[in-house]
């Protein structure tokens, strides 16, 4: 809603500039001041006009304020130094906010643009671990935000089914007496075998030659038996990955196997189109010195087999051909690879992806590695979060039955993980701390609890039906400061979504969720609702808060429980 109000204010400023005969500025921006005494919306347009008018910004803002014609819901405008500050009429504004919040609040107008968003894409050589989870949570949450912002979004998981890791596992199946445990998840068993093969490689480095031969045979000859083994390994692992992802409320629209780009001739076409730029010594490579990158981009191994980077080129070309925008979520260790990829894509006429780089997550005990076999799986993380949430519930809500405790603990546990990771900008390294993640005071549980509180209060008002409230009969006079603050916070939801989608960032949505919960909790604790003179109005505010918190949590892939 703030975006609509901002447009109203912009038109008033533009008209004042025109009436004064001044040269119009290219763009007028408004922001919400940090202090309500400085207005509800403010602009620094006077700075932009200072150069052409050869006047001070303070003088310009004062002159403009005298010439601005206000329209609803603004009641006044002031100049504060170089800034122009607009103030809402609280009654008109409050009514507008409540009328604008429907059940689908936060769903913006449709945009006829398709985005392919690739995320997670962990190698299928073991279960998802805490090192993968930030990618998955950022990617899934961003997809939800982009959908709410009106874009068409397809989420993809790029399956590295031709990598050396898979050849290692196939070698293990052929040469080690390893029996899969039918009672264990397939991805866990694959991970155990991968670890065992790594141990064998350390003891017998000559095994590498055998693995190289498996990889070369699979790519160039692809005998049915070997193809079946590769597919079985990858499918078994992916089944476990999907199961874990679903526990985190994460899904993908499609899984794209990299082998398709070898089998359908895409790789041969790429190498042919790059012929005039490539060089050959032991390997085929692109010299990128002319582009400011010292490290060359290797396209094939010395034995002629392709590399992940070559297949990734083909994949990105496919994505750019089938979408208006390509978005990748990648660890910060991929920055050089992406710089190289973008140059090669440019030579091939493909569009460069927008990339969200993130730093990694560690537990206080240290970091994790699949190769060493020392890691915390996402399943273990979920189980631990659920167990800790259950302990908290036993203390806070002993009267709940077992099924209720189990379900609420799961919702709190998954929410704690997703929120703790989504709340920080991706550039910041995260040390995962349980006491912070599961905090009922400042973690996701505090937001979920605010929703449950709203539901409980509405349940007590048995005869209250939001759709039957006559807005015209409500008394909006003498609004409490906490009421107005809450409504101002609720009104910002659509702007938060639009800005987050534009910037490809999800942490502002997470931070906003905590802000809404905080504003609601202040209102809940200090403003009487049931039995007050403004019961209907305040119940409506509770219901609109419930909707906003629920929809905001949904953008983060987090359930909003009605009881906690």
């Amino acid at each position: 809603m703030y975006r609509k109000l901002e447009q109203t204010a912009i038109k008033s400023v533009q008209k004042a500039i025109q009436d004064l005969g001044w040269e119009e500025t290219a763009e007028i921006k408004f922001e919400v001041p940090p202090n309500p005494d400085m207005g509800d919306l403010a602009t620094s347009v006077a700075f932009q006009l200072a150069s052409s008018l050869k006047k001070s910004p303070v003088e310009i803002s004062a002159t403009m304020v005298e010439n601005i014609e206000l329209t609803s819901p603004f009641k006044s405008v002031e100049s504060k130094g170089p800034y122009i500050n607009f103030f809402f009429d609280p009654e008109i504004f409050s009514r507008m906010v409540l009328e604008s919040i429907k059940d689908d609040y936060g769903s913006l107008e449709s945009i006829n643009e398709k985005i392919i968003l690739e995320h997670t894409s962990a190698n299928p050589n073991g279960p998802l671990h805490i090192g993968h989870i930030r990618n998955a949570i950022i990617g899934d949450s961003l997809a939800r935000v982009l959908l709410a912002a009106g874009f068409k979004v397809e989420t993809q998981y790029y399956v590295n089914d031709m990598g050396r890791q898979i050849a290692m596992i196939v070698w293990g199946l052929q040469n080690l007496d390893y029996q899969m445990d039918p009672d264990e998840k397939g991805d866990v068993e694959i991970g155990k075998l991968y670890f065992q093969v790594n141990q064998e490689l350390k003891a017998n480095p000559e095994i590498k030659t055998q693995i190289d031969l498996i990889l070369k045979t699979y790519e160039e000859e692809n005998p049915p038996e070997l193809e079946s083994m590769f597919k079985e390994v990858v499918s078994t692992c992916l089944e476990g990955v999907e199961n874990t992802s679903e526990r985190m409320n994460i899904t993908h629209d499609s899984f794209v196997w990299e082998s398709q780009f070898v089998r359908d001739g895409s790789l041969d076409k790429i190498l042919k189109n790059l012929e005039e730029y490539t060089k050959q010594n032991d390997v085929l490579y692109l010299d990128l010195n002319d582009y400011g990158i010292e490290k060359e981009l290797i396209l094939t191994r010395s034995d002629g087999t392709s590399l992940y980077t070559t297949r990734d080129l083909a994949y990105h070309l496919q994505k750019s051909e089938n979408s208006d925008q390509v978005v990748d979520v990648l660890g910060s260790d991929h920055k050089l690879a992406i710089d190289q990829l973008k140059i090669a894509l440019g030579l091939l006429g493909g569009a460069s992806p927008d990339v969200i780089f993130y730093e990694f997550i560690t537990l206080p005990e240290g970091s994790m590695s699949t190769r060493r076999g020392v890691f915390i799986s996402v399943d273990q993380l979920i189980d631990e979060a659920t167990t800790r949430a259950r302990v908290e519930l036993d203390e806070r809500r002993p009267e709940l039955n077992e099924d209720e405790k189990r379900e609420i603990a799961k919702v709190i546990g998954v929410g704690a993980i997703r929120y703790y990771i989504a709340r920080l900008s991706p550039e910041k390294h995260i040390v995962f701390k349980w006491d912070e993640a599961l905090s009922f005071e400042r973690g996701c549980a505090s937001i979920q609890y605010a929703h449950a509180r709203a539901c409980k209060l509405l349940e007590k008002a048995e005869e209250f039906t939001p759709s039957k409230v006559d807005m015209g009969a409500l008394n909006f006079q003498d609004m409490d400061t906490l009421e107005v603050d809450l409504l101002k916070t609720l009104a910002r939801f659509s702007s938060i979504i639009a800005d987050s989608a534009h910037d490809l960032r999800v942490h502002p949505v997470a931070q906003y969720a905590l802000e809404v919960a905080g504003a609601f909790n202040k209102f809940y604790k200090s403003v009487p609702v049931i039995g007050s003179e403004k019961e209907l109005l305040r119940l409506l505010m509770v219901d609109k808060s419930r909707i906003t918190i629920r929809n905001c949590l949904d953008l983060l892939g987090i359930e909003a429980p009605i009881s906690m």
Side-chain angles (χ1 to χ4, degrees), residues 38 43-47 56-65 78-85:
M38 299 169 67
T43 179
S44 59
V45 69
F47 286 103
S56 75
V58 174
E59 183 182 353
I60 291 170
S61 66
T63 302
M64 288 189 65
V65 164
E78 299 175 1
S79 62
K80 301 273 188 180
Y83 297 96
I84 300 171
N85 300 344

Side-chain angles (χ1 to χ4, degrees), residues 178-196:
Y178 186 84
Q179 298 296 319
M180 296 276 195
D181 183 349
D183 296 324
E184 184 61 273
K185 282 182 69 197
D187 55 341
V188 173
E189 288 299 293
I190 293 293
K192 289 177 182 177
L193 178 55
Y194 179 64
F195 175 70
Q196 195 171 325

Side-chain angles (χ1 to χ4, degrees), residues 429-442:
H429 172 255
I430 294 179
V431 178
F432 196 91
K433 297 178 181 177
W434 286 110
D435 57 337
E436 292 181 12
L438 288 163
S439 171
F440 271 69
E441 281 69 47
R442 61 187 181 277

Side-chain angles (χ1 to χ4, degrees), residues 339-357:
D339 286 342
Q340 294 174 315
L341 179 86
K342 286 181 177 180
I343 293 168
L345 276 172
L347 296 174
L348 292 165
S352 290
D354 290 305
V355 184
I356 301 158
F357 291 109

Side-chain angles (χ1 to χ4, degrees), residues 491-507:
R492 289 173 40 227
F493 187 34
S494 295
S495 296
I496 294 291
I497 292 170
D499 291 343
S500 295
H502 177 270
D503 298 337
L504 300 178
R505 291 287 185 267
V506 298
H507 63 277

Side-chain angles (χ1 to χ4, degrees), residues 3 48 221 223 235 298 312 339 367 457 496:
R3 295 179 76 83
Q48 297 168 251
E221 300 174 25
S235 297
I298 300 174
D312 201 25
D339 286 342
S367 59
L457 189 53
I496 294 291

